[in-house]
Amino acid sequence: MLVKVPNVLDAQQLAAVRALLDQGRDAWVDGRVTAGYQGAPVKFNQQIDERSEVAHRCQDIILSALERHPLFISAALPNVVYPPMFNRYGEGMAFGAHVDGSVRIHPHTGNKLRTDLSATLFLAQPDEYDGGELTVEDTYGAHAVKLAAGDMVLYPATSLHRVTPVTRGVRLACFFWIQSLIRDDQQRSMLFDMDSAIQILNQTKADDLARRKLVGCYHNLMRQWSET
Ligand code: NI
């Protein structure tokens, strides 16, 4: 399931992150430093050094925004969020088809994190660059994603995906992974649908007892399926 999560960053937070990334010019390195053997030959971009001060300050802004975003929580059911990373594609840069690594070491805790979901948070407006679509493949075909700055897409980390070549301007984005409380994408999708339906029923103030029972089912499914 691909989920669009709009307005993860408001205009002020976006401006703050953009200014930090702009100031931190020295911290941009070749993107291949974090690529695995599959990704390295097809990866042509730049990344902010994840140990840099700039990265840490941007991570704080984004992680605190995510914690307060109900749609992100409902769709991802996060257990552990990998500290966000930042990339930059100038003209001619691209990232060929690949699947993200399944397990990463959390840079702060040293613990292993299973990547259930991949996230891309767009930091440049669509009119700032041409090309640079994130293309995610699922059983229904390829989906090209290019969102407004501040909006994010969540997609199963099992998906084959790529970033098409940038032909004008600069594509700036933030990317990271989530270990979800619900490992299975289909189970997580069903819980997301159920939660979305409950939110609508709450707004319409539909039958109170029936809603309580439905909320109970949601939590009991979470109890059955979640792992921490
Ligand atoms: Ni990737």
Side-chain angles (χ1 to χ4, degrees), residues 95-96 98-101 118 120 134 155 159 161-163 175 177:
F95 196 167
H98 66 282
V99 171
D100 293 342
S118 296
T120 296
L134 170 68
Y155 57 99
S159 320
H161 60 280
R162 63 185 190 274
V163 176
F175 65 103
W177 302 273

Side-chain angles (χ1 to χ4, degrees), residues 3-222:
V3 182
K4 179 181 167 183
V5 186
N7 303 315
V8 170
L9 299 181
D10 62 26
Q12 205 179 356
Q13 292 163 323
L14 177 66
V17 169
R18 290 275 304 241
L20 281 164
L21 294 179
D22 210 36
Q23 286 161 20
R25 278 175 212 286
D26 299 344
W28 288 104
V29 295
D30 189 313
R32 276 171 286 199
V33 290
T34 59
Y37 74 92
Q38 187 201 199
V42 290
K43 187 173 184 182
F44 301 100
N45 67 2
Q46 294 174 303
Q47 278 173 204
I48 283 277
D49 182 345
E50 54 181 333
R51 297 158 303 181
S52 65
E53 174 67 19
V54 168
H56 290 158
R57 289 177 63 188
C58 292
Q59 285 164 359
D60 287 346
I61 295 171
I62 291 164
L63 287 171
S64 61
L66 288 171
E67 277 168 18
R68 290 191 294 266
H69 203 296
L71 184 61
F72 167 70
I73 303 290
S74 176
L77 296 169
N79 184 3
V80 188
V81 178
Y82 191 92
M85 296 169 69
F86 303 88
N87 60 20
R88 179 185 184 281
Y89 293 76
E91 279 178 32
M93 293 186 183
F95 196 167
H98 66 282
V99 171
D100 293 342
S102 51
V103 177
R104 301 195 78 91
I105 306 292
H106 192 294
H108 303 165
T109 64
N111 294 334
K112 293 191 175 79
L113 174 146
R114 188 189 60 240
T115 56
D116 295 320
L117 287 156
S118 296
T120 296
L121 168 61
F122 289 77
L123 298 175
Q125 297 295 357
D127 63 4
E128 290 182 78
Y129 60 100
D130 290 331
E133 279 94 4
L134 170 68
T135 304
V136 182
E137 293 191 20
D138 65 14
T139 52
Y140 203 72
H143 306 272
V145 185
K146 188 180 206 174
L147 302 178
D151 291 359
M152 183 171 81
V153 61
L154 286 172
Y155 57 99
T158 49
S159 320
L160 194 64
H161 60 280
R162 63 185 190 274
V163 176
T164 63
V166 168
T167 56
R168 176 189 65 86
V170 174
R171 176 196 195 268
L172 264 184
C174 163
F175 65 103
F176 57 97
W177 302 273
I178 298 122
Q179 180 171 323
S180 177
L181 291 164
I182 307 294
R183 176 181 189 162
D184 183 81
D185 186 59
Q186 202 174 5
Q187 289 177 334
R188 199 184 322 105
S189 300
M190 286 193 285
L191 287 168
F192 179 51
D193 284 345
M194 196 174 197
D195 189 39
S196 308
I198 290 168
Q199 299 309 322
I200 293 167
L201 291 174
N202 284 344
Q203 283 165 17
T204 58
K205 299 204 177 358
D207 186 282
D208 189 48
L209 183 61
R211 272 190 292 139
R212 282 169 201 266
K213 282 186 174 173
L214 193 55
V215 171
C217 286
Y218 176 84
H219 283 289
N220 291 334
L221 283 172
M222 278 289 290

